[in-house]
Amino acid sequence: MLDTLKLWHHIIDSADAQALDDLLADDVIFHSPVVHKPQQGKALTRMYLAGALQVLLKPGKFRYLREIAGPRDAMLEFIAEVDGIEINGVDIIRWDEAGRICDFKVMIRPLKAINLLHQKMGEMLQSMARN
């Protein structure tokens, strides 16, 4: 069984989007803070999370503030700074019996941060789709 949170923190610390392939369940559901409909499947979730890694993980600009963890789920509060705007958010993660993430929800505040993240993620996803 995977140590889900340990692997997730490795991904965050190293910005290793390739490691998402081992961590995400095939039928994972991703709940974006800016897209109304949940995104289903490993490929879409990987795309969103890889994009978020590139947008949010600037050196010294992202860190988790606290972690509340249970046997198969966790809530991780973070702060990040993008273009001088502080983003406060929560990752709500649930994993299956094998330790693979089956549900990932991101909640963001304040509204200025949501709007900025929407713009930056849109640009990142378009760039990723072209490559």
Side-chain angles (χ1 to χ4, degrees):
M1 182 168 96
L2 295 173
D3 185 338
T4 308
L5 290 178
K6 183 177 180 179
L7 186 51
W8 176 251
H9 284 295
H10 160 76
I11 290 169
I12 295 300
D13 293 342
S14 64
D16 181 8
Q18 295 295 337
L20 289 168
D21 292 334
D22 294 330
L23 188 57
L24 299 175
D26 290 337
D27 58 350
V28 62
I29 299 172
F30 179 74
H31 307 268
S32 166
V34 296
V35 178
H36 176 70
K37 185 178 176 184
Q39 304 300 300
Q40 297 189 318
K42 186 184 237 180
L44 275 176
T45 300
R46 185 187 187 290
M47 181 180 69
Y48 275 92
L49 291 176
L53 292 176
Q54 291 184 38
V55 169
L56 294 174
L57 296 185
K58 306 298 182 210
K61 301 294 183 180
F62 179 96
R63 70 182 169 96
Y64 280 113
L65 300 173
R66 62 181 161 157
E67 182 176 300
I68 303 166
R72 293 205 9 218
D73 59 357
M75 189 174 334
L76 295 84
E77 181 183 6
F78 65 86
I79 58 169
E81 185 182 316
V82 176
D83 292 350
I85 295 176
E86 185 172 285
I87 297 171
N88 179 227
V90 176
D91 294 331
I92 304 170
I93 305 169
R94 185 166 36 100
W95 52 90
D96 61 20
E97 292 176 359
R100 288 189 173 75
I101 294 175
C102 57
D103 194 86
F104 199 111
K105 183 182 291 185
V106 181
M107 303 183 79
I108 300 287
R109 62 167 298 282
L111 181 58
K112 182 186 281 190
I114 293 170
N115 291 335
L116 176 66
L117 193 59
H118 183 250
Q119 172 199 341
K120 294 289 186 184
M121 283 297 297
E123 293 168 0
M124 181 59 61
L125 293 173
Q126 284 180 358
S127 172
M128 292 170 77
R130 286 192 296 265
N131 296 330

